Amino acid sequence: MSNSQNLQLLKELYIYKSMGFSYVDKLQSVQNNTKNRSIVTWDDLEKTVKNCFLCELSKSRKNTVFGNGNKNAKVMFIGEAPGMVEDESGDVFVGRSGELLTKMIENVLNIPRDEVYITNMLKCKPPSNASATKNQINSCSDYLTSQINLVSPKLIVALGQSVYQYLSNDDSSLSEARMSISKYKEISVITTYHPSYLLRNPSIKKQAHQDLLKIKSFLDNL
Ligand code: URA
Protein backbone atom coordinates (compact mmCIF):
# COMPACT_ATOMS: atom_id res chain seq x y z
CA MET A 1 0.00 0.00 0.00
CA SER A 2 1.38 3.44 -0.92
CA ASN A 3 1.82 6.22 1.63
CA SER A 4 -1.16 8.14 0.30
CA GLN A 5 -3.37 5.04 0.51
CA ASN A 6 -2.19 4.52 4.08
CA LEU A 7 -3.00 8.12 4.89
CA GLN A 8 -6.47 7.79 3.39
CA LEU A 9 -7.11 4.61 5.38
CA LEU A 10 -5.93 6.26 8.55
CA LYS A 11 -8.19 9.27 7.93
CA GLU A 12 -11.15 6.93 7.48
CA LEU A 13 -10.33 5.12 10.72
CA TYR A 14 -10.25 8.47 12.54
CA ILE A 15 -13.64 9.33 11.05
CA TYR A 16 -15.07 6.03 12.37
CA LYS A 17 -13.53 6.73 15.75
CA SER A 18 -15.07 10.21 15.84
CA MET A 19 -18.43 8.59 14.99
CA GLY A 20 -18.10 6.45 18.09
CA PHE A 21 -16.88 3.14 16.68
CA SER A 22 -14.24 1.36 18.69
CA TYR A 23 -14.25 -1.87 16.70
CA VAL A 24 -15.15 -2.88 13.16
CA ASP A 25 -15.34 -6.41 11.82
CA LYS A 26 -12.65 -7.23 9.31
CA LEU A 27 -14.23 -5.89 6.13
CA GLN A 28 -14.49 -8.07 3.05
CA SER A 29 -12.60 -6.29 0.31
CA VAL A 30 -15.62 -5.63 -1.85
CA GLN A 31 -13.63 -3.19 -3.95
CA ASN A 32 -11.11 -5.88 -4.89
CA ASN A 33 -13.84 -8.43 -5.26
CA THR A 34 -15.80 -6.34 -7.74
CA LYS A 35 -12.71 -6.23 -9.96
CA ASN A 36 -12.73 -10.01 -9.99
CA ARG A 37 -16.36 -11.04 -10.24
CA SER A 38 -15.74 -14.70 -9.55
CA ILE A 39 -14.59 -13.96 -5.97
CA VAL A 40 -17.79 -12.21 -4.85
CA THR A 41 -20.41 -14.54 -3.48
CA TRP A 42 -23.91 -13.58 -2.42
CA ASP A 43 -23.19 -14.75 1.13
CA ASP A 44 -20.01 -12.68 1.46
CA LEU A 45 -21.68 -9.66 -0.02
CA GLU A 46 -24.72 -9.86 2.24
CA LYS A 47 -22.51 -10.33 5.28
CA THR A 48 -20.37 -7.34 4.28
CA VAL A 49 -23.44 -5.15 3.87
CA LYS A 50 -24.78 -6.26 7.28
CA ASN A 51 -21.49 -5.22 8.87
CA CYS A 52 -21.01 -2.02 6.91
CA PHE A 53 -20.08 1.14 8.79
CA LEU A 54 -18.85 3.19 5.84
CA CYS A 55 -21.23 6.10 6.34
CA GLU A 56 -23.23 7.79 9.07
CA LEU A 57 -26.43 5.91 8.16
CA SER A 58 -24.97 2.84 9.85
CA LYS A 59 -25.48 4.60 13.18
CA SER A 60 -29.18 5.31 12.77
CA ARG A 61 -30.34 2.21 10.88
CA LYS A 62 -32.26 -0.59 12.57
CA ASN A 63 -31.51 -3.07 9.80
CA THR A 64 -29.62 -3.07 6.56
CA VAL A 65 -31.87 -3.77 3.58
CA PHE A 66 -29.97 -5.88 1.09
CA GLY A 67 -32.60 -6.72 -1.54
CA ASN A 68 -34.10 -9.97 -2.73
CA GLY A 69 -35.64 -11.92 -5.59
CA ASN A 70 -34.45 -14.16 -8.36
CA LYS A 71 -30.65 -14.04 -8.44
CA ASN A 72 -30.73 -14.95 -12.14
CA ALA A 73 -33.47 -12.51 -13.04
CA LYS A 74 -33.65 -10.96 -16.50
CA VAL A 75 -34.85 -7.75 -14.95
CA MET A 76 -33.64 -5.91 -11.86
CA PHE A 77 -35.53 -3.05 -10.16
CA ILE A 78 -33.47 -0.47 -8.30
CA GLY A 79 -35.02 2.02 -5.88
CA GLU A 80 -33.31 4.80 -3.96
CA ALA A 81 -33.22 3.80 -0.29
CA PRO A 82 -35.20 1.86 2.30
CA GLY A 83 -38.07 3.58 4.08
CA MET A 84 -39.27 3.16 7.66
CA VAL A 85 -41.05 -0.17 7.16
CA GLU A 86 -38.05 -1.63 5.35
CA ASP A 87 -35.68 -0.37 8.06
CA GLU A 88 -37.82 -2.13 10.69
CA SER A 89 -38.05 -5.41 8.81
CA GLY A 90 -34.82 -5.58 6.79
CA ASP A 91 -36.89 -6.46 3.70
CA VAL A 92 -36.89 -4.46 0.51
CA PHE A 93 -40.01 -2.60 -0.74
CA VAL A 94 -42.50 -3.97 1.76
CA GLY A 95 -44.28 -0.72 2.74
CA ARG A 96 -46.95 1.11 0.72
CA SER A 97 -44.62 1.82 -2.18
CA GLY A 98 -43.62 -1.85 -2.11
CA GLU A 99 -47.26 -2.86 -2.46
CA LEU A 100 -47.59 -0.59 -5.46
CA LEU A 101 -44.35 -1.91 -6.97
CA THR A 102 -45.65 -5.47 -6.58
CA LYS A 103 -48.86 -4.51 -8.41
CA MET A 104 -46.84 -2.86 -11.20
CA ILE A 105 -44.75 -6.01 -11.64
CA GLU A 106 -47.48 -8.61 -11.26
CA ASN A 107 -50.51 -6.90 -12.81
CA VAL A 108 -48.91 -5.05 -15.70
CA LEU A 109 -45.72 -6.96 -16.48
CA ASN A 110 -47.42 -10.26 -15.64
CA ILE A 111 -44.38 -11.54 -13.75
CA PRO A 112 -44.53 -12.91 -10.17
CA ARG A 113 -42.59 -10.51 -7.91
CA ASP A 114 -40.15 -13.21 -6.85
CA GLU A 115 -39.09 -13.70 -10.49
CA VAL A 116 -37.39 -10.29 -10.57
CA TYR A 117 -34.55 -8.98 -8.41
CA ILE A 118 -35.23 -5.87 -6.32
CA THR A 119 -32.78 -3.71 -4.41
CA ASN A 120 -31.93 -0.09 -3.60
CA MET A 121 -28.96 2.19 -4.23
CA LEU A 122 -28.60 2.66 -0.47
CA LYS A 123 -28.79 -0.27 1.90
CA CYS A 124 -29.66 1.85 4.95
CA LYS A 125 -32.54 4.24 5.59
CA PRO A 126 -31.68 7.94 5.44
CA PRO A 127 -33.14 9.99 8.33
CA SER A 128 -36.64 11.45 7.74
CA ASN A 129 -36.62 9.93 4.26
CA ALA A 130 -34.12 12.55 3.08
CA SER A 131 -32.66 12.14 -0.42
CA ALA A 132 -29.49 10.11 -0.71
CA THR A 133 -26.33 12.24 -0.51
CA LYS A 134 -23.32 11.80 -2.81
CA ASN A 135 -21.26 10.50 0.09
CA GLN A 136 -23.88 7.89 1.01
CA ILE A 137 -24.24 6.79 -2.62
CA ASN A 138 -20.46 6.48 -3.01
CA SER A 139 -20.14 4.49 0.21
CA CYS A 140 -22.78 2.02 -0.98
CA SER A 141 -21.89 1.91 -4.67
CA ASP A 142 -19.65 -1.18 -4.55
CA TYR A 143 -22.49 -3.20 -3.08
CA LEU A 144 -24.89 -2.27 -5.86
CA THR A 145 -22.21 -2.87 -8.50
CA SER A 146 -21.59 -6.35 -7.08
CA GLN A 147 -25.31 -7.14 -7.04
CA ILE A 148 -25.68 -6.04 -10.66
CA ASN A 149 -22.63 -8.12 -11.64
CA LEU A 150 -23.97 -11.18 -9.85
CA VAL A 151 -27.50 -10.97 -11.26
CA SER A 152 -26.26 -9.85 -14.66
CA PRO A 153 -29.73 -8.79 -15.80
CA LYS A 154 -30.71 -7.94 -19.38
CA LEU A 155 -32.63 -4.92 -18.14
CA ILE A 156 -32.44 -2.57 -15.17
CA VAL A 157 -35.50 -0.55 -14.20
CA ALA A 158 -34.36 2.64 -12.49
CA LEU A 159 -37.05 3.80 -10.08
CA GLY A 160 -36.74 7.56 -9.99
CA GLN A 161 -34.40 10.30 -11.11
CA SER A 162 -31.59 9.78 -8.61
CA VAL A 163 -31.18 6.11 -9.56
CA TYR A 164 -31.13 7.03 -13.26
CA GLN A 165 -28.58 9.80 -12.65
CA TYR A 166 -26.32 7.50 -10.68
CA LEU A 167 -26.44 4.60 -13.15
CA SER A 168 -26.07 6.75 -16.23
CA ASN A 169 -23.75 9.34 -14.78
CA ASP A 170 -25.97 11.94 -16.40
CA ASP A 171 -27.87 14.89 -14.89
CA SER A 172 -30.97 14.63 -17.07
CA SER A 173 -34.32 15.04 -15.39
CA LEU A 174 -36.70 12.13 -14.95
CA SER A 175 -38.94 13.34 -17.77
CA GLU A 176 -35.95 13.34 -20.16
CA ALA A 177 -34.65 10.02 -18.84
CA ARG A 178 -38.04 8.32 -19.42
CA MET A 179 -37.85 9.15 -23.12
CA SER A 180 -35.10 6.71 -23.99
CA ILE A 181 -33.41 3.47 -23.06
CA SER A 182 -30.00 4.22 -21.58
CA LYS A 183 -27.11 1.95 -20.69
CA TYR A 184 -25.31 0.93 -17.54
CA LYS A 185 -22.18 -0.72 -18.94
CA GLU A 186 -23.73 -3.18 -21.43
CA ILE A 187 -27.08 -3.40 -19.65
CA SER A 188 -30.17 -1.54 -20.88
CA VAL A 189 -31.81 0.83 -18.40
CA ILE A 190 -35.43 1.96 -18.53
CA THR A 191 -36.33 4.74 -16.12
CA THR A 192 -39.73 5.28 -14.59
CA TYR A 193 -41.32 7.02 -11.62
CA HIS A 194 -40.54 5.82 -8.12
CA PRO A 195 -43.66 4.13 -6.63
CA SER A 196 -43.69 6.53 -3.67
CA TYR A 197 -43.77 9.47 -6.12
CA LEU A 198 -46.68 7.76 -7.87
CA LEU A 199 -48.51 7.40 -4.56
CA ARG A 200 -48.14 11.14 -4.00
CA ASN A 201 -49.03 12.03 -7.60
CA PRO A 202 -51.72 9.63 -8.81
CA SER A 203 -52.39 11.81 -11.88
CA ILE A 204 -49.20 10.50 -13.55
CA LYS A 205 -50.35 6.87 -13.39
CA LYS A 206 -51.00 6.91 -17.13
CA GLN A 207 -47.37 7.81 -17.94
CA ALA A 208 -46.13 5.18 -15.51
CA HIS A 209 -48.36 2.64 -17.24
CA GLN A 210 -46.77 3.57 -20.58
CA ASP A 211 -43.31 2.98 -19.07
CA LEU A 212 -44.41 -0.43 -17.83
CA LEU A 213 -45.65 -1.35 -21.29
CA LYS A 214 -42.25 -0.34 -22.66
CA ILE A 215 -40.58 -2.61 -20.08
CA LYS A 216 -42.97 -5.45 -20.94
CA SER A 217 -42.30 -5.11 -24.66
CA PHE A 218 -38.51 -5.08 -24.00
CA LEU A 219 -38.77 -8.29 -21.95
CA ASP A 220 -41.15 -9.97 -24.42
CA ASN A 221 -38.62 -9.36 -27.17
CA LEU A 222 -35.62 -10.87 -25.43
N1 URA B 1 -38.49 3.16 -1.26
C1 URA B 1 -37.38 2.64 -1.83
O1 URA B 1 -36.76 3.26 -2.68
N2 URA B 1 -36.98 1.45 -1.43
C2 URA B 1 -37.62 0.71 -0.52
O2 URA B 1 -37.16 -0.40 -0.20
C3 URA B 1 -38.78 1.29 0.04
C4 URA B 1 -39.20 2.50 -0.33
Side-chain angles (χ1 to χ4, degrees), residues 65 79-83 86 91-95 97-98 119-120 159 194 196:
V65 179
E80 182 172 321
E86 290 77 16
D91 293 322
V92 74
F93 274 103
V94 286
S97 46
T119 191
N120 286 304
L159 298 169
H194 191 285
S196 57

Side-chain angles (χ1 to χ4, degrees), residues 16-142:
Y16 295 149
K17 202 173 168 198
S18 69
M19 286 162 67
F21 294 111
S22 55
Y23 170 80
V24 270
D25 260 349
K26 188 168 169 260
L27 291 171
Q28 300 280 341
S29 182
V30 171
Q31 213 149 18
N32 290 340
N33 285 349
T34 50
K35 284 182 196 133
N36 183 353
R37 278 179 49 181
S38 60
I39 296 176
V40 177
T41 67
W42 282 106
D43 281 355
D44 282 349
L45 188 59
E46 196 157 358
K47 209 163 134 201
T48 305
V49 168
K50 260 203 177 95
N51 292 303
C52 178
F53 300 101
L54 287 179
C55 81
E56 69 285 0
L57 298 183
S58 60
K59 292 200 82 182
S60 54
R61 73 176 175 226
K62 290 193 176 140
N63 286 292
T64 54
V65 179
F66 184 73
N68 62 29
N70 178 357
K71 290 170 177 163
N72 298 307
K74 290 200 170 75
V75 55
M76 184 165 177
F77 288 77
I78 304 178
E80 182 172 321
M84 210 164 68
V85 188
E86 290 77 16
D87 182 49
E88 293 280 350
S89 65
D91 293 322
V92 74
F93 274 103
V94 286
R96 280 186 69 222
S97 46
E99 280 168 23
L100 179 57
L101 180 62
T102 306
K103 282 187 189 152
M104 289 158 72
I105 294 169
E106 300 205 330
N107 300 352
V108 189
L109 301 182
N110 270 326
I111 313 173
R113 174 175 160 147
D114 57 11
E115 281 291 305
V116 307
Y117 193 86
I118 306 177
T119 191
N120 286 304
M121 257 190 330
L122 298 191
K123 310 306 183 205
C124 296
K125 176 189 163 297
S128 326
N129 289 327
S131 300
T133 66
K134 279 228 159 74
N135 180 43
Q136 291 159 0
I137 296 173
N138 287 340
S139 302
C140 247
S141 68
D142 282 336

